[in-house]
Amino acid sequence: MPAPTVPQIPHYEPAPETTQTLDYADLPIIDLSKADTVEERAQLAVQVRDAMSNQGFFYIVGHGYSPEQMKRMFDIADIPFSQVSDEEKQKYVAPTKQTGSYQGYKLRQYWHIDGGVRDQVENYNINRDVNKRTHPEAVRPLLPEITQFARHSHQNVLNPVLRLMALGLELPEDTLVNLHGWDTRSETYVRFMKYYPRSAEDEEKTKNVWLKGHTDFGTISILYSQPVAALQILARDGTWKWIKHIENAIVVNAGDAMEFLSGGFYRATIHRVVQPPPDQRQYTRLGIFYFCTADDDVRLAPLATSPLLQRVGFRRWFEQDEDAPLMVEWRKARTSAYGQTTLAKSTEEDRVEEEVINGVVVKHYN
């Protein structure tokens, strides 16, 4: 039987890797191909536990998609931007501020960055159930491949990571998997994201920051590595470290919801996006993400039955578990507010601005 054909689409040529010397974060590399046995998972769980409780970021290799498959996915990721007219994009803009959902387009200049400067980033966001909404004409023939990619990201990347994190908390390994169903109601989705070069004036006004330091609102963020250096994480010593591109690797970090569920043990990592180094500034930066949230009805209270948390202690953001927000409540509040609200300068920390969401102080870092 002949192999199924896929739609022919233009090739997206990524930027060459930077030759600049940058101060890169030293992050562990987790090989998911070595997570088949109980013994292997126990060993990897220690590495993931240490990474998520310290740096909050790590790399994944051995995730099951080949370099050729990922090249195809980056070609697909560019289609919503390069092959859809501005007029058609307007028909699929997400009503984010009204609904707290990113599904659809986030067009350029929606987010306020700093000094009156707005973003130069386009997103196209697709729920893992691609039939939840309609899509631009150029995207429709690609939906089977996007569905396959979402399913792979969920079952072969997210679920193994969640199992390792549950083991790190000394909980049954499917504890967190059971909070992240494939067929359940949640906002877990694929994001295609394209950054465009900015003017020298905008760079000066924002001190070269493209997205301020922030935490993600969900549980786990999965970023398929690409060559344009721009992502930085805030290290414990207060310095910003660059994330290095590793071919066909994945970068994983925890978000607010995971920090709530783990009682603060797994850190929601502060990260930002800045202007790339000089030899990459003329290129666009195309990203592929799988942003994960717990099911909508999961209450974001600590998993207090964890033997590890009982030994080391944990934080409660709310006095009573029933006062903690549901995942859907936290997601809608964070999403609606991001880049739209007026932030207040922190009275306790330099370079920090704050807003209060669901009774929790959310910080943004300059």
Side-chain angles (χ1 to χ4, degrees):
M1 180 180 294
T5 58
V6 295
Q8 290 190 348
I9 55 176
H11 173 58
Y12 177 80
E13 187 62 38
E17 292 188 45
T18 182
T19 60
Q20 303 289 303
T21 300
L22 303 176
D23 186 12
Y24 289 113
D26 183 17
L27 302 180
I29 300 175
I30 306 299
D31 187 349
L32 286 186
S33 69
K34 297 179 179 178
D36 292 334
T37 68
V38 172
E39 293 76 17
E40 288 174 332
R41 289 196 294 277
Q43 292 177 356
L44 291 179
V46 173
Q47 298 176 44
V48 170
R49 181 196 65 198
D50 292 346
M52 282 302 207
S53 59
N54 290 297
Q55 301 102 322
F57 266 73
F58 60 88
Y59 294 103
I60 283 177
V61 296
H63 52 77
Y65 251 42
S66 68
E68 290 71 27
Q69 286 174 299
M70 284 313 305
K71 287 178 182 177
R72 171 69 179 180
M73 282 309 305
F74 275 98
D75 290 347
I76 290 173
D78 192 47
I79 295 301
F81 311 118
S82 65
Q83 303 301 310
V84 180
S85 69
D86 290 343
E87 181 180 5
E88 188 179 8
K89 287 175 184 176
Q90 289 290 340
K91 299 176 183 178
Y92 298 95
V93 170
T96 301
K97 194 169 184 178
Q98 294 75 26
T99 64
S101 172
Y102 278 127
Q103 302 306 303
Y105 279 103
K106 196 291 299 173
L107 299 179
R108 287 191 259 184
Q109 300 199 350
Y110 177 75
W111 293 325
H112 175 254
I113 305 303
D114 202 9
V117 176
R118 306 193 77 81
D119 72 273
Q120 290 296 332
V121 188
E122 280 186 309
N123 298 343
Y124 190 65
N125 307 290
I126 307 175
N127 191 280
R128 64 196 184 283
D129 178 359
V130 300
N131 297 314
K132 276 201 166 185
R133 60 172 294 149
T134 57
H135 302 277
E137 185 175 355
V139 175
R140 294 170 201 165
L142 305 171
L143 292 177
E145 291 176 88
I146 295 171
T147 296
Q148 181 183 22
F149 175 75
R151 187 179 292 274
H152 168 79
S153 297
H154 200 101
Q155 296 180 350
N156 299 326
V157 181
L158 173 64
N159 284 351
V161 167
L162 292 175
R163 290 189 179 100
L164 295 175
M165 294 179 73
L167 290 173
L169 295 174
E170 300 174 14
L171 290 166
E173 69 175 12
D174 279 341
T175 300
L176 293 171
V177 170
N178 292 338
L179 304 181
H180 295 75
W182 170 259
D183 295 318
T184 50
R185 184 182 294 275
S186 79
E187 187 79 352
T188 296
Y189 62 95
V190 174
R191 169 177 288 180
F192 302 141
M193 191 170 193
K194 194 171 187 179
Y195 289 81
Y196 296 85
R198 301 192 312 186
S199 68
E201 181 182 3
D202 282 356
E203 295 294 355
E204 182 178 1
K205 287 181 178 178
T206 61
K207 300 180 177 62
N208 307 109
V209 173
W210 286 11
L211 284 183
K212 287 184 179 181
H214 64 282
T215 57
D216 294 336
F217 64 80
T219 48
I220 296 294
S221 299
I222 294 169
L223 164 63
Y224 287 81
S225 190
Q226 56 75 47
V228 178
L231 179 61
Q232 296 181 332
I233 63 172
L234 186 61
R236 285 189 178 273
D237 64 3
T239 61
W240 291 100
K241 304 288 187 182
W242 295 79
I243 299 297
K244 184 176 178 60
H245 170 56
I246 298 179
E247 185 68 24
N248 203 38
I250 294 172
V251 181
V252 175
N253 68 277
D256 298 338
M258 184 59 71
E259 186 165 6
F260 293 151
L261 290 170
S262 67
F265 186 77
Y266 291 137
R267 298 174 58 222
T269 314
I270 300 156
H271 55 285
R272 69 179 184 178
V273 180
V274 299
Q275 185 184 33
D279 58 351
Q280 293 185 319
R281 288 178 184 170
Q282 70 271 37
Y283 296 97
T284 57
R285 179 177 182 263
L286 182 65
I288 301 177
F289 301 78
Y290 193 63
F291 281 119
C292 310
T293 67
D295 297 342
D296 279 357
D297 60 358
V298 171
R299 195 165 295 281
L300 300 178
L303 297 167
T305 59
S306 159
L308 180 137
L309 295 185
Q310 290 176 5
R311 288 199 309 276
V312 303
F314 57 91
R315 177 183 176 186
R316 291 185 184 275
W317 278 258
F318 302 89
E319 288 188 15
Q320 303 296 326
D321 285 354
E322 57 266 28
D323 295 330
L326 298 175
M327 182 72 252
V328 64
E329 295 169 338
W330 182 252
R331 182 258 298 172
K332 286 184 175 182
R334 281 286 323 260
T335 302
S336 298
Y338 187 79
Q340 297 294 297
T341 55
T342 301
L343 304 175
K345 290 188 179 298
S346 172
T347 58
E348 299 178 355
E349 298 177 83
D350 293 335
R351 303 182 302 161
V352 175
E353 296 171 303
E354 300 175 341
E355 59 184 331
V356 178
I357 295 178
N358 288 113
V360 177
V361 176
V362 175
K363 298 181 180 182
H364 302 260
Y365 295 75
N366 295 310

